[in-house]
Amino acid sequence: QVQLVESGGGLVQAGGSLRLSCAATGSIFSFNVMGWYRQAPGKQRDLVATISRGGTINYADSVKGRFTISRDFAKNTVYLQMNSLKLEDTAVYYCRGVTSTHSTWGQGTQVTVSS
C-alpha cells in the first residue's frame, strides 16, 4: 500500500509563505483524488484543497487566492503552496490519497503562523 509523508511545515510570520510537500512511496496516479486537510487544536479536521487524477482542483473558501495545490507525477509528490499566511492557518496539515477502495493519510506536518 502506498504511504504518504508530509514535509515543509514550520514557524512563519503572518503574511509569509510555506510550501508543503506530500511524497508518496508509490505512484500518485493510483489515487483518484489527493488532498490537503488541516486540524487546529480542539477543532475538526477540515479540507483545504484537493486535486483529482484528471486535474480538477477544489479549495476551501478560506484559502482561495492564497493557497495553490499542485503535483509532480515524476516525483510522486503533491504540493501545497501557502502564501499570505494568517494566524488562523495554524494547524497540523495532513495529506490524503483516496482510491476506489480506501483512503490513506500521512502523519501530518505542523504549520504555525505567528504575529
Side-chain angles (χ1 to χ4, degrees), residues 4 6 15 17 23 27 34 37-40 50 52 55 58 69 71 77 88 97 108 110 112 114:
L4 304 174
E6 302 97 331
S17 298
S27 174
M34 295 195 72
Y37 293 72
R38 66 186 181 186
Q39 187 167 19
T50 61
S52 73
N58 288 294
I69 189 170
R71 64 191 172 188
T77 300
E88 53 264 40
Q110 176 71 47
T112 302
S114 65

Side-chain angles (χ1 to χ4, degrees), residues 38-46 87-91 94:
R38 66 186 181 186
Q39 187 167 19
K43 296 188 176 182
Q44 67 181 19
R45 190 173 298 186
D46 292 326
L87 297 178
E88 53 264 40
D89 294 319
T90 294
Y94 297 90

